[in-house]
Amino acid sequence: MSSEAVETRIRILNAAWTLLEASHGSGVKMSDIARAAGISRQAVYLHFPNRAELLIAATRHIDEVKKVGARLAASREASTGIERLEAFIEAWGNYIPEVYGVVRALLAMRDSDAAARAALDDRMRGLREGFEAAVKALARDGVLSPALSVPEAVDILWSLLSVETWEKFTRDCGWPQARYVALMQELASKMLLAGPASQ
Amino acid sequence: MSSEAVETRIRILNAAWTLLEASHGSGVKMSDIARAAGISRQAVYLHFPNRAELLIAATRHIDEVKKVGARLAASREASTGIERLEAFIEAWGNYIPEVYGVVRALLAMRDSDAAARAALDDRMRGLREGFEAAVKALARDGVLSPALSVPEAVDILWSLLSVETWEKFTRDCGWPQARYVALMQELASKMLLAGPASQ
DNA sequence: AGCTTCACTTGACATAGTGTCAATTTACAC
DNA sequence: GTGTAAATTGACACTATGTCAAGTGAAGCT
């Protein structure tokens, strides 16, 4: 009964994921997704109320398949604040390319679609919390720059480690993924840590 | 004869500018612009072939009114590379809020419109050249970090000083404009300059 | 076998916004 | 007055999303 319904749902999500990844998040229509999933366009609406909800479900599906939870959990186990920050940047930075297509599509529709905007805000709030935990660990260790409050440091990480910035470095400037991650770690260290440029 | 035609054209550009600034670049339709300019929607197409060209013309119009050329020229007069970089970041950083609405609208349509994409690419290329001149001055002064090539340093400035990042700091995180500019200057200095964190 | 139910199909339609076209109107210039 | 250029009006094509109603087909129940 419902096992086949779930199958179709997953097929739709995978179709959306694949198409959006290939097109870098633009130009993918509901009819394209339906065709790729092997069903009619209208049938997609039997599983998702609209495009925004489909894309939101796709991000959650990717999170599940790619095990974000486990990846981010690793950063929580670091003993020092500095290690924790580096691990978190590495985990998040390497996760961006996995969700890029779908997030880009959500980003493109956020102006016209309240649900897309809300979903992105929610995701970004989750990211902020991750950065906040790392910054608090730095503060606890006494290595956070005295010129910065915790919220300010979080703002800096959150603003600079955006999907848009990743896009500029890796897609527009052609930087390899590993180089991007290394630069972001260096950036975080230079901007957030106290004293004579540690790391 | 053509003096009145020019007037209408300018009225359209100002209407687009005002509306896009007020709405932060989203939800402004051709009919809204026409109404604000006091003409019919169809008449807009007598002056601009399509929405993308109108927005592109609007950015050029803003450049003209706000005298970008003169502002950026000032940074060229600085004697040291460091001063030049700081002046350029200040000029560009303070220019972003002026064009924000229109650029945001162009950004939103770049996926579906080749003309919009080309116009943005062109603008971004101009920005790169400004950063490149500043970075070359740093290299000439021998203060550019030995770990970075000129193109890499330019990539870093260009990627981090994007309109999208400005948006995150000032609009999403609520930072005052001056604080944003100061942070970007600090960032550039810490990431690009050689030796024990100068400036 | 007969009946229901559920997932899906087909085709038609509403809506929004962009861009096009043709037929007029208005106004000014000579 | 007549011509010309700018603008108006109304109609229409196109694209993509989302809705609706009627119908098909296969599995499951009794």
Side-chain angles (χ1 to χ4, degrees):
Chain A
M1 39 155 66
S2 100
S3 88
E4 242 198 317
V6 168
E7 263 217 56
T8 301
R9 194 188 135 92
I10 301 279
R11 236 170 38 234
I12 295 170
L13 293 175
N14 283 329
W17 183 5
T18 308
L19 290 176
L20 285 166
E21 195 169 321
S23 73
H24 303 296
S26 80
V28 175
K29 294 169 285 185
M30 291 298 269
S31 52
D32 297 328
I33 295 169
R35 198 174 325 116
I39 58 172
S40 68
R41 181 179 73 90
Q42 289 84 337
V44 176
Y45 291 97
L46 297 175
H47 296 269
F48 305 95
N50 52 51
R51 205 178 115 98
E53 294 296 333
L54 193 169
L55 296 186
I56 293 162
T59 65
R60 284 199 266 266
H61 178 232
I62 297 172
D63 288 353
E64 217 171 288
V65 172
K66 294 289 182 173
K67 317 245 183 249
V68 220
R71 293 207 215 177
L72 297 183
S75 79
R76 253 169 254 134
E77 279 159 27
S79 53
T80 74
I82 293 177
E83 279 166 2
R84 183 165 186 163
L85 180 62
E86 294 218 325
F88 192 81
I89 291 175
E90 192 187 331
W92 165 242
N94 284 323
Y95 191 57
I96 297 176
E98 318 254 37
V99 274
Y100 174 61
V102 181
V103 169
R104 185 77 155 61
L106 276 168
L107 241 17
M109 67 190 296
R110 101 193 114 153
D111 287 334
S112 55
D113 192 295
R117 174 122 197 97
L120 281 166
D121 286 353
D122 184 65
R123 239 193 146 66
M124 292 303 104
R125 206 165 317 125
L127 183 59
R128 265 196 87 88
E129 280 162 18
F131 284 132
E132 190 170 8
V135 169
K136 280 183 173 160
L138 291 180
R140 188 204 44 197
D141 292 1
V143 295
L144 179 64
S145 162
L148 294 172
S149 67
V150 169
E152 279 174 330
V154 174
D155 285 349
I156 292 171
L157 291 175
W158 180 82
S159 297
L160 297 176
L161 279 134
S162 66
V163 172
E164 292 94 330
T165 300
W166 175 87
E167 187 179 24
K168 293 207 182 291
F169 274 108
T170 67
R171 295 194 37 78
D172 298 332
C173 297
W175 284 38
Q177 173 64 19
R179 180 97 180 73
Y180 161 80
V181 171
L183 185 86
M184 286 297 128
Q185 287 173 331
E186 186 191 338
L187 183 67
S189 152
K190 285 190 169 153
M191 294 302 291
L192 265 54
L193 301 187
S198 52
Q199 143 70 356
Chain B
M1 40 158 68
S2 100
S3 87
E4 246 202 313
V6 168
E7 264 219 55
T8 300
R9 195 188 134 91
I10 302 280
R11 236 170 39 233
I12 296 170
L13 293 175
N14 283 328
W17 184 4
T18 308
L19 290 176
L20 286 167
E21 197 171 319
S23 73
H24 305 296
S26 80
V28 175
K29 294 168 285 183
M30 291 298 267
S31 52
D32 298 328
I33 295 169
R35 196 174 325 116
I39 59 172
S40 68
R41 180 178 74 90
Q42 289 84 336
V44 175
Y45 291 96
L46 297 174
H47 297 269
F48 304 95
N50 52 51
R51 205 178 115 99
E53 294 297 332
L54 194 167
L55 297 186
I56 293 160
T59 65
R60 283 199 266 266
H61 179 232
I62 297 172
D63 287 354
E64 220 170 286
V65 172
K66 295 288 182 175
K67 315 247 185 251
V68 221
R71 293 206 215 177
L72 296 184
S75 79
R76 253 169 253 132
E77 279 159 26
S79 53
T80 73
I82 293 177
E83 280 166 1
R84 183 165 186 161
L85 180 62
E86 294 218 325
F88 192 81
I89 290 175
E90 192 188 330
W92 165 242
N94 284 322
Y95 191 57
I96 297 175
E98 319 254 35
V99 275
Y100 174 60
V102 181
V103 169
R104 185 74 157 60
L106 276 167
L107 241 18
M109 67 190 295
R110 99 193 115 150
D111 287 333
S112 54
D113 191 295
R117 174 122 197 97
L120 282 166
D121 285 353
D122 184 65
R123 237 193 147 67
M124 293 301 102
R125 206 167 316 125
L127 183 60
R128 265 197 86 88
E129 280 161 20
F131 285 132
E132 190 170 8
V135 169
K136 278 182 175 161
L138 291 179
R140 189 204 44 198
D141 293 0
V143 294
L144 179 65
S145 163
L148 295 172
S149 67
V150 169
E152 280 174 328
V154 173
D155 285 349
I156 291 171
L157 291 174
W158 181 82
S159 298
L160 297 177
L161 278 133
S162 65
V163 172
E164 291 94 330
T165 300
W166 174 88
E167 187 178 25
K168 293 206 183 290
F169 274 109
T170 68
R171 293 194 38 77
D172 297 333
C173 298
W175 284 39
Q177 172 65 18
R179 181 95 179 74
Y180 161 80
V181 171
L183 186 87
M184 287 298 128
Q185 287 174 331
E186 185 192 338
L187 182 69
S189 152
K190 284 189 169 154
M191 294 303 289
L192 265 54
L193 301 186
S198 56
Q199 151 64 354

